[in-house]
Amino acid sequence: MGIKNAEFVKSSTRLKECPKNKLPEFVFMGRSNVGKSSLINMLVNNKKLSKTSSKPGKTQLINHFLINSNFYFVDLPGYGWAQVSKSKRKEWEKMISNYILNSKMIVLIFILVDVRLKPQKIDIENINFIGKNNLPLNIIFTKCDKISSSLINKNIDSFFIELSNYWSEKPNYFISSSNKNLGKDEIEKLIFRVNKSLN
């Protein structure tokens, strides 16, 4: 087990442009600047695989990365970035929702949530969107090296209290830090377990 190789395959503006070979897709989505690209780089042990930036909105396309020649990581544009036009945001939202609802190869969706923030309406909305469409969901709380462990627990509890207004059961979740490799082994184990179950 373990990620031995990872390579960027292509960026797509719509589902029909995505890779045609039928391999399982593990999808990463979240608010702009939540750390999707950094998390992917941590998982594959390559800081340069997925382009990162301190400026939100770096990822603007559907990006496929081939992992172990066996499955894909898919990095989606961040949602909730205010510094683009309303029409551009709508365009991204349409692209993301069309891909998520119509790709037949998605086996797991990770929604990344910045653990430092109070519950954000847009995160809750996107988690509910995934749930209403009966898609497999896990939550990853990012940037867990930035605050104390007690505050991490408090903020996660607050998040799930808010989510309990819509969910009867708490989704599976991880805590992570790309700077500290926190959560890497646990997330990787889940990915390989899910992928193995498909064979």
Side-chain angles (χ1 to χ4, degrees), residues 27-187:
V27 178
F28 297 83
M29 60 185 295
R31 294 174 69 246
S32 291
N33 220 28
V34 74
K36 295 185 305 301
S37 298
S38 295
L39 181 84
I40 289 172
N41 290 343
M42 176 186 76
L43 291 173
V44 303
N45 296 307
N46 183 348
K47 293 182 178 180
K48 296 181 179 180
L49 181 69
S50 184
K51 293 181 181 178
T52 62
S53 174
S54 59
K55 295 175 65 176
K58 182 70 174 178
T59 303
Q60 300 186 15
L61 300 167
I62 302 168
N63 293 313
H64 277 75
F65 302 90
L66 183 61
I67 310 298
N68 287 359
S69 302
N70 188 243
F71 57 86
Y72 287 115
F73 282 173
V74 183
D75 187 9
L76 295 182
Y79 51 74
W81 187 36
Q83 294 180 332
V84 292
S85 66
K86 189 174 181 180
S87 61
K88 189 66 175 178
R89 289 203 304 275
K90 289 291 184 184
E91 184 182 316
W92 287 357
E93 288 168 8
K94 184 178 180 181
M95 174 177 65
I96 292 169
S97 62
N98 181 61
Y99 162 72
I100 287 173
L101 294 178
N102 295 296
S103 173
K104 304 301 183 187
M105 302 312 299
I106 294 174
V107 295
L108 194 58
I109 296 174
F110 293 104
I111 288 194
L112 279 60
V113 174
D114 189 333
V115 77
R116 302 171 300 175
L117 306 178
K118 67 180 183 180
Q120 301 291 300
K121 181 182 177 183
I122 196 165
D123 286 328
I124 301 295
E125 288 175 347
N126 277 277
I127 290 169
N128 288 343
F129 172 76
I130 300 302
K132 286 176 182 177
N133 287 284
N134 297 311
L135 295 165
L137 168 73
N138 274 241
I139 296 172
I140 299 177
F141 291 97
T142 64
K143 305 181 187 290
C144 289
D145 59 311
K146 307 292 186 184
I147 57 176
S148 67
S149 57
S150 60
L151 192 53
I152 289 170
N153 293 331
K154 179 182 177 182
N155 290 357
I156 289 175
D157 286 345
S158 295
F159 188 87
F160 283 123
I161 287 170
E162 177 65 25
L163 198 63
S164 68
N165 293 319
Y166 312 95
W167 289 64
S168 57
E169 292 186 18
K170 183 165 63 176
N172 187 47
Y173 73 94
F174 300 91
I175 62 171
S176 76
S177 163
S178 298
N179 290 331
K180 304 289 187 180
N181 275 359
L182 179 64
K184 180 180 186 295
D185 291 344
E186 293 82 1
I187 296 167

